[in-house]
Amino acid sequence: QVQLVESGGGLVQAGGSLRLSCAASGRTFSRYTMGWFRQAPGKEREIVGNVAYTSTNKYIADPLKGRFTISRDNSKNLVYLQMNSLKPEDTALYYCAAREVTAAEYEYWGQGTQVTVSS
């Protein structure tokens, strides 16, 4: 089992920045690719990005490239999502998720942290 706890969400004005954190506990952090997802009201959940254990493989969804950055600190079992130049359409519940390196699906999910961007 892996437990994931997100933090860092909040209310920010358009153009502002936030850094979300995800703390992982439980099984060996190195086994997992870590991802960030978001779900806006009335919309389906979508992937924001993910990062492999070595951090050599990172992915950010195309519409978010240039504004969002994903990183991880393996010594602290933390994953970060740096969000810059935020827009009202970035308003959503942001989730951290983990999947084993060989797994096709994300198996573990956090509770989510709310990000609200005001215009």
Side-chain angles (χ1 to χ4, degrees), residues 88-106:
E89 52 263 43
D90 294 318
T91 295
L93 189 60
Y94 283 72
Y95 297 93
C96 175
R99 64 173 175 84
E100 292 205 28
V101 174
T102 56
E105 302 290 334
Y106 285 86

Side-chain angles (χ1 to χ4, degrees), residues 8-20 66-69 81-87 90 115-118:
L11 174 64
V12 64
Q13 288 190 329
S17 297
L18 281 175
R19 188 177 79 159
L20 306 184
R67 298 194 298 122
F68 287 21
T69 304
L81 181 66
Q82 178 67 43
M83 305 184 294
N84 299 326
S85 302
L86 283 162
K87 305 175 181 180
D90 294 318
V115 171
T116 302
V117 184
S118 63

Side-chain angles (χ1 to χ4, degrees), residues 5-83:
V5 179
E6 303 95 336
S7 61
L11 174 64
V12 64
Q13 288 190 329
S17 297
L18 281 175
R19 188 177 79 159
L20 306 184
S21 299
C22 172
S25 60
R27 303 187 70 178
T28 307
F29 193 51
S30 62
R31 297 170 60 126
Y32 297 94
T33 292
M34 303 299 296
W36 283 99
F37 293 77
R38 69 183 185 181
Q39 187 166 21
K43 294 187 177 181
E44 292 188 356
R45 187 173 62 198
E46 62 179 358
I47 188 167
V48 175
N50 59 35
V51 57
Y53 178 73
T54 60
S55 295
T56 54
N57 291 325
K58 296 183 184 180
Y59 166 79
I60 292 288
D62 284 345
L64 305 176
K65 285 181 179 177
R67 298 194 298 122
F68 287 21
T69 304
I70 191 169
S71 61
R72 65 193 287 169
D73 185 338
N74 294 327
S75 67
K76 298 179 180 179
N77 285 11
L78 289 169
V79 183
Y80 303 104
L81 181 66
Q82 178 67 43
M83 305 184 294

